[in-house]
Amino acid sequence: MDLVVRGARVVDGTGGPSYTADVGVHEGRIAEIGRIRGGGRRTLDAHGLALAPGFVDMHAHSDLALLRDPDHSAKAAQGVTLEVLGQDGLSYAPADDRTLGEVRAAIAGWNGSGEDIDFDWRTVGEYLDRLDRGVALNAAYLVPQGTVRAYALGWDDRPATPAELDRMRQLVADGLAQGAVGLSSGLTYTPGMYASGAELAELCRVVASYGGYYCPHHRSYGRGALPAYAEMIGLAREAGCALHLAHATMNFAENEGRAPELLALLDAALAEGCDITLDSYPYTPGCTTLVALLPSWANEGGPEAVLARLRDDAEAERIRYALEVTGADGCHGVPVDWSTIEISGTADPAFSACVGTRLDGWDTARRLLLGDRLAPTILQHVGHEENVRAIMRHPVHTGGSDGILRGAKPHPRAYGTFPHYLGHYVRELGVLSLEECVAHLSGRPAARLRLPDRGLVRAGHRADLVLFDPDTVAAGSTYENPRTLPTGIPHVLIDGRFVMRDGRRTDVLAGRSIRRTPL
């Protein structure tokens, strides 16, 4: 054996009872589980520690972070061994030069402008090849529907022509053939939100033919949340496509206490045979970009068009009225309550004093959008704890951080999601048992990704493992100090190699692309 882990409490990712055993690792795989006689090249005493499959972040925004930051302790220290990228319909492949420049500007608040990145790819396959040069963690990729739409027809709010729809279908098919695991959408973000249900169904039929899944950030998490969930379920049913609901929450005052209605909708679809899973983060505030709150018509034409509208007093007044009076679709149909909007990051240091403050109205928001060229990120304090707990209990639930790593004061979920589940919701509150929670964070997401040899502690599986102390594991990150690393997670391995050892990040770059398993 290359490594023998002695006396661990094995929490195997199935949800079944934990048990005490030795675990032997050889050539990157779990070779033996039980009482192992003899030693290995290395022996680790794990008495008092739980050994689990590495955690899967089903909703990550590390598309550029993995390339710029070989350390990436924000996720490695949480026990994450695999992230799913390409979320919310906007990422950097497939693209031509025009589309790439537009997308870089549109999601600079998520990932930075990318001036420090060599964008030496254009296709999905080339991006995955770039990851294969060696990164901190494994990563899977979703074809981003908004980027595909921008590539095929630009940022206009109009139906696709037959030729443009054919082009989008081909781009999705190419991405899946090159290794993407599915398709994502951001249906409150432009230009993806301009797609009709019929257009989305056509793309989902392509996804289904490759055995992938559709992961939508649907059209509303506020006033129209339940109809928006129902639309996605109906679309997946029509297309015969597996569905994974991104950051499934019920936010805003309109939805307080209404998680059971969502879960009843899911249960009815599951009983019909629909293939549905979801992810959520264990916090109440949301996190996005400030510009995302604007109405869709204000975002038409791309970032430069948005800035031009903001400079025009008459257009800016139309935007204000939509935000404050009627409820913009970018703000989920709910009139914005500026007191819930906290600035979490800016690109221009001249605006750094704004970070951590709540907005006092449209005039301040407008000045910030113009001055920082649409880059500010925000926390939106609109969630409800009872909804968070109800959703995480559901048997198709998985964990996803939705962690935006940029900004001076990011959401603590970026650094704390997985230990917060284990420490707060398992040990302190008992919302889930330890075995249930680990299954939500490892085995179940690996099954959604159709990974035949990951997500479980099982002989023959890849040795993507996390060892943690159930009595002390906790998120260190808080709203005041969001970049603090967790406690109680001393060891993390990918393919049997330590990426975290004794609570410290090693220099190992064991991460590679995880490509779609062929049908």
Side-chain angles (χ1 to χ4, degrees):
M1 301 289 179
D2 296 324
L3 171 68
V4 174
V5 180
R6 295 283 189 199
R9 176 183 174 184
V10 176
V11 188
D12 67 5
T14 65
S18 57
Y19 56 91
T20 300
D22 303 333
V23 176
V25 174
H26 187 63
E27 295 184 349
R29 293 186 179 271
I30 299 169
E32 188 176 348
I33 305 169
R35 185 178 179 185
I36 300 176
R37 300 186 181 278
R41 293 184 180 90
R42 176 177 294 157
T43 300
L44 177 63
D45 183 353
H47 289 85
L49 298 179
L51 182 148
F55 303 139
V56 179
D57 189 341
M58 286 295 288
H59 194 104
H61 288 285
S62 302
D63 306 49
L64 300 185
L66 279 169
L67 301 179
R68 68 162 58 93
D69 179 16
D71 182 79
H72 202 47
S73 288
K75 295 297 181 67
Q78 295 186 58
V80 173
T81 58
L82 169 60
E83 300 184 275
V84 184
L85 313 177
Q87 299 286 349
D88 295 327
L90 289 167
S91 190
Y92 306 95
D96 56 8
D97 290 348
R98 170 191 61 81
T99 308
L100 182 60
E102 293 167 344
V103 169
R104 286 175 61 182
I107 56 174
W110 295 357
N111 299 313
S113 66
E115 292 179 358
D116 55 340
I117 301 295
D118 178 10
F119 288 89
D120 59 351
W121 69 85
R122 291 297 180 270
T123 69
V124 170
E126 289 168 349
Y127 175 72
L128 297 177
D129 289 344
R130 176 70 177 274
L131 297 176
D132 283 339
R133 297 180 196 173
V135 288
L137 307 179
N138 293 321
Y141 189 77
L142 296 162
V143 178
Q145 171 258 331
T147 301
V148 165
R149 199 173 207 271
Y151 193 167
L153 63 114
W155 296 70
D156 297 336
D157 183 2
R158 63 173 177 82
T161 67
E164 290 165 342
L165 184 57
D166 284 344
R167 178 63 172 143
M168 285 191 282
R169 279 192 290 243
Q170 188 60 56
L171 288 168
V172 173
D174 289 345
L176 288 159
Q178 293 161 14
V181 295
L183 175 75
S184 77
S185 285
L187 300 179
T188 64
Y189 299 126
T190 56
M193 69 192 310
Y194 300 140
S196 66
E199 179 180 310
L200 294 171
E202 286 299 310
L203 302 184
C204 284
R205 289 188 178 94
V206 176
V207 175
S209 71
Y210 281 87
Y213 68 92
Y214 180 46
C215 180
H217 164 130
H218 51 270
R219 298 189 193 274
S220 175
Y221 291 82
R223 180 174 293 167
L226 287 172
Y229 280 114
E231 180 195 7
M232 295 298 99
I233 292 170
L235 187 156
R237 183 187 293 115
E238 176 188 353
C241 186
L243 177 66
H244 180 85
L245 297 166
H247 39 57
T249 59
M250 294 288 286
N251 288 341
F252 301 91
E254 288 85 345
N255 293 315
E256 185 173 2
R258 298 187 70 187
E261 296 176 57
L262 166 61
L263 301 179
L265 183 68
L266 292 179
D267 288 338
L270 290 163
E272 294 174 8
C274 294
D275 183 359
I276 304 174
T277 50
L278 57 85
D279 66 67
S280 75
Y281 46 83
Y283 299 88
T284 52
C287 178
T288 187
T289 55
L290 182 58
V291 68
L293 304 185
L294 272 55
S296 56
W297 58 261
N299 279 288
E300 185 176 5
E304 291 304 320
V306 179
L307 290 166
R309 292 187 182 99
L310 288 168
R311 294 187 194 100
D312 184 286
D313 288 343
E315 288 290 276
E317 172 58 20
R318 285 184 64 206
I319 294 171
R320 182 205 67 78
Y321 189 85
L323 280 168
E324 297 183 349
V325 180
T326 61
D329 48 5
C331 195
H332 308 278
V334 178
V336 67
D337 176 357
W338 293 112
S339 70
T340 68
I341 307 298
E342 177 184 359
I343 301 301
S344 61
T346 59
D348 188 337
F351 298 96
S352 60
C354 298
V355 174
T357 64
R358 303 285 182 112
L359 290 178
D360 59 6
W362 167 242
D363 288 343
T364 302
R366 180 189 179 192
R367 287 196 299 272
L368 191 53
L369 286 166
L370 283 169
D372 204 33
R373 292 188 59 81
L374 312 182
T377 52
I378 62 170
L379 302 186
Q380 194 168 14
H381 296 268
V382 293
H384 305 285
E385 179 66 19
E386 70 273 26
N387 287 345
V388 171
R389 296 188 194 187
I391 290 167
M392 73 170 64
R393 290 189 186 102
H394 197 275
V396 301
H397 170 268
T398 67
S401 72
D402 195 15
I404 294 175
L405 298 166
R406 303 290 289 182
K409 195 178 180 223
H411 196 303
R413 68 193 186 194
Y415 282 71
T417 286
F418 295 86
H420 197 49
Y421 269 119
L422 295 167
H424 186 58
Y425 286 97
V426 172
R427 184 180 65 249
E428 295 175 2
L429 299 180
V431 174
L432 294 167
S433 72
L434 182 63
E435 290 83 358
E436 289 172 328
C437 188
V438 167
H440 287 221
L441 306 182
S442 58
R444 186 171 302 145
R448 164 51 74 215
L449 295 167
R450 295 179 55 240
L451 303 179
D453 59 355
R454 298 180 194 267
L456 301 175
V457 180
R458 181 171 291 173
H461 277 227
R462 294 277 188 179
D464 294 354
L465 302 170
V466 54
L467 289 105
F468 62 93
D469 184 344
D471 294 331
T472 64
V473 62
S477 59
T478 63
Y479 294 101
E480 293 73 27
N481 297 291
R483 296 187 188 277
T484 306
L485 296 180
T487 57
I489 306 179
H491 307 294
V492 182
L493 298 90
I494 295 178
D495 279 354
R497 302 169 68 191
F498 283 90
V499 296
M500 298 289 299
R501 183 189 297 153
D502 297 322
R504 297 179 180 274
R505 178 72 172 92
T506 70
D507 60 1
V508 169
L509 296 177
R512 299 293 186 270
S513 70
I514 303 297
R515 308 197 186 209
R516 181 186 56 82
T517 303
L519 286 173

